[in-house]
Amino acid sequence: MKNITILGSTGSIGTNALEIIRELNNEFNILALTANSNYKLLAKQIKEFNPKYVSIGTEEGYKFLKKEFNDIEIYCGKEGLREIGKLDETDIILTAVSGAIGLEATIEAIKKEKRIALANKETMVAGGDYINSLLKKYKAEIIPVDSEHSALFQSLLSGKDKEVKNLILTGSGGTFRGKDLEFLKNVKVEDALKHPNWSMGKKITIDSSTLINKGLEVIEAHQLFNIDYDKIKVVIHPQSIIHSMVEFVDNSIVAQMGVPDMKIPIQYAFTYPNRMQNEIIEGLDFMKYSNLTFEEVNHKVFRGIELAFFAGKTGKSMPIVFNAANEIAVELFLNNKIKFLDIYKIIENEMNNHNIINVNNLETILEIDREVRAKLRREYL
Ligand code: NDP
Ligand code: MG
């Protein structure tokens, strides 16, 4: 039995992970769960999965859970999340919180030399260099959960590192694929939240509609696979069946395919290097998808990838600014404080005004992240 800890068990990735574990309960045991404010769902999950430890973001939730459960250890707030990252009994920790808030707990888990099933891409974007330096020192392993990176991870098993010519990330194109700048000027939050293929949390759904998500994934791929930015390509593939591909030096391309269901990459990160049958995962019927198509990215309209390449290639502190500015811009858009296209403007402006510095410790990452957030909140709220 492997002990699983889930950071963000009440979210889209978290609940998918619990569905897998419910089926494979002879293989996996839930050790710890965390949520931010949704203590009611967390309480339900506690009753079903019986974890030894939980953490909740809010005081209100903490009080409720303390009253309800007296035989488990309950933590609260940011510190609580970090404590859960430190648990010795964990075998695999799934990082499925949304945003760079997951960074500290991930770092604790690396120091404890755990397997990290990484969904939380913002962590790798903001802290990638530092995380990679820790991975040289500690015997932790990161298995990607993001569907593109899981696909790349699986496809990379077909060749050697030096035989890789390009990593080709696929993307659905998001809710507004094919639309122009005029159309995007006045789009509403509800429209941006309607993703054609994937059902996900709000933040990543907005990121998909701006293609910032694909941009974050470019940086994530660079950090996870140690590949030059010049060797990372993006192609739009509206059906989301090919989850990404690796082109090798002999021009052979290896792709990973499947229905668009996050349960596949989540489970693979749990079972790797093995695979397991699971009745709840649907097979791919090629006849239903007889038309797989590919398009170029329209960088003039959707600037998310271009901005990410700039942040990634500049490196040092720039990816932290890119990520933090985006997190706040998305929050502002979701709260109707700014318009859709302002998201790009805010990120670009923050990056242009940033004085780049070297980043080789956690304190510096957190400080830059905090500064950008505070500045934008002051300006817009
Ligand atoms: P959701 O918004 O659905 O869930 C986020 C989870 O994190 C919830 O459990 C939430 O708790 C918790 N959380 C949010 N903010 C905080 C905080 N400040 N402190 C502690 N916990 C917090 O997100 P998703 O599941 O969609 O995404 C999670 C991560 O996985 C993101 O980094 C995303 O980019 C990545 N990812 C997601 C994919 C998907 O299909 N959804 C695909 C690929 C990557 P509560 O419910 O209480 O608010
Ligand atoms: Mg993805």
Side-chain angles (χ1 to χ4, degrees):
M1 284 282 255
K2 290 246 159 72
N3 272 336
I4 308 261
T5 287
I6 303 180
L7 306 181
S9 63
T10 50
S12 157
I13 293 284
T15 49
N16 269 301
L18 288 174
E19 279 185 50
I20 292 167
I21 290 164
R22 184 180 291 129
E23 286 301 304
L24 303 182
N25 59 11
N26 289 326
E27 307 285 336
F28 302 110
N29 169 57
I30 288 292
L31 178 74
L33 299 174
T34 84
N36 187 34
S37 56
N38 194 350
Y39 61 84
K40 288 197 176 134
L41 179 55
L42 184 61
K44 259 197 198 161
Q45 295 178 341
I46 295 171
K47 282 181 189 145
E48 180 179 355
F49 292 94
N50 210 12
K52 224 167 138 181
Y53 309 90
V54 300
S55 182
I56 182 81
T58 60
E59 241 350 279
E60 188 195 0
Y62 179 74
K63 280 188 193 138
F64 176 88
L65 295 174
K66 268 286 194 198
K67 232 193 274 157
E68 196 85 352
F69 303 98
N70 43 30
D71 52 347
I72 53 174
E73 206 152 327
I74 304 169
Y75 298 95
C76 182
K78 267 177 134 178
E79 294 70 32
L81 197 62
R82 202 167 51 221
E83 287 305 315
I84 299 287
K86 284 187 195 165
L87 295 173
D88 282 315
E89 296 144 89
T90 296
D91 293 306
I92 304 171
I93 178 164
L94 172 66
T95 62
V97 295
S98 159
I101 187 86
L103 186 63
E104 288 178 80
T106 307
I107 286 170
E108 295 297 348
I110 293 175
K111 291 185 176 164
K112 293 283 181 176
E113 309 202 311
K114 302 301 178 190
R115 168 177 296 190
I116 293 142
L118 181 99
N120 182 218
K121 63 190 87 184
E122 295 92 340
T123 283
M124 209 56 197
V125 171
D129 290 342
Y130 180 60
I131 286 176
N132 280 328
S133 74
L134 290 177
L135 289 173
K136 288 197 183 114
K137 208 160 123 194
Y138 298 97
K139 286 200 304 284
E141 57 176 351
I142 294 187
I143 312 293
V145 166
D146 209 349
S147 59
E148 294 75 4
H149 304 75
S150 176
L152 293 171
F153 182 86
Q154 294 177 59
S155 303
L156 282 165
L157 297 174
S158 298
K160 302 193 181 71
D161 287 354
K162 63 175 194 307
E163 296 165 349
V164 173
K165 184 172 164 188
N166 285 306
L167 301 184
I168 306 167
L169 287 165
T170 54
S172 67
T175 321
F176 301 130
R177 181 175 64 89
K179 303 294 190 217
D180 60 14
L181 285 171
E182 199 45 45
F183 180 92
L184 292 178
K185 261 187 196 161
N186 292 313
V187 287
K188 297 199 175 68
V189 173
E190 307 87 84
D191 302 327
L193 285 175
K194 286 180 202 139
H195 195 281
N197 305 340
W198 299 96
S199 152
M200 313 181 283
K202 281 185 182 173
K203 195 264 175 181
I204 184 175
T205 305
I206 301 300
D207 286 348
S208 300
S209 68
T210 53
L211 293 201
I212 299 278
N213 181 50
K214 214 43 60 185
L216 292 166
E217 291 180 352
V218 165
I219 302 176
E220 185 188 8
H222 165 82
Q223 294 292 11
L224 285 173
F225 306 116
N226 189 22
I227 293 274
D228 282 355
Y229 281 105
D230 296 336
K231 293 183 174 180
I232 304 175
K233 316 286 172 199
V234 178
V235 59
I236 300 296
H237 166 48
Q239 299 80 18
S240 300
I241 295 300
I242 296 180
H243 300 306
S244 278
M245 317 176 236
V246 176
E247 184 179 26
F248 290 96
V249 284
D250 57 358
N251 287 344
S252 174
I253 294 179
V254 178
Q256 186 266 343
M257 305 167 100
V259 292
D261 180 351
M262 287 308 294
K263 286 197 263 313
I264 298 177
I266 297 168
Q267 180 175 303
Y268 186 68
F270 289 166
T271 63
Y272 169 80
N274 303 316
R275 292 184 184 272
M276 254 172 228
Q277 190 180 336
N278 188 338
E279 299 305 328
I280 60 167
I281 297 177
E282 193 194 328
L284 173 64
D285 177 355
F286 276 94
M287 296 314 120
K288 275 196 203 154
Y289 294 96
S290 54
N291 207 9
L292 297 187
T293 60
F294 304 92
E295 295 167 15
E296 263 183 74
V297 177
N298 184 347
H299 293 286
K300 286 209 177 77
V301 176
F302 300 98
R303 300 188 47 229
I305 297 172
E306 175 192 59
L307 291 169
F309 267 110
F310 171 74
K313 286 184 177 178
T314 308
K316 298 182 179 171
S317 50
M318 200 56 102
I320 309 170
V321 177
F322 171 68
N323 179 67
N326 178 57
E327 283 193 35
I328 299 298
V330 170
E331 188 184 302
L332 292 169
F333 176 68
L334 284 171
N335 291 314
N336 292 307
K337 303 275 183 210
I338 59 167
K339 293 196 162 188
F340 185 80
L341 292 172
D342 295 334
I343 297 176
Y344 300 124
K345 281 192 211 146
I346 288 178
I347 298 170
E348 191 169 32
N349 191 41
E350 284 316 296
M351 292 207 290
N352 285 342
N353 290 320
H354 175 64
N355 294 319
I356 304 152
I357 57 167
N358 278 319
V359 184
N360 33 35
N361 58 57
L362 178 62
E363 289 65 41
T364 316
I365 301 172
L366 296 177
E367 198 179 304
I368 298 169
D369 179 78
R370 260 196 310 268
E371 270 172 21
V372 174
R373 285 168 200 265
K375 174 173 174 279
L376 287 172
R377 287 218 172 92
R378 271 197 310 274
E379 276 170 35
Y380 287 89
L381 291 176

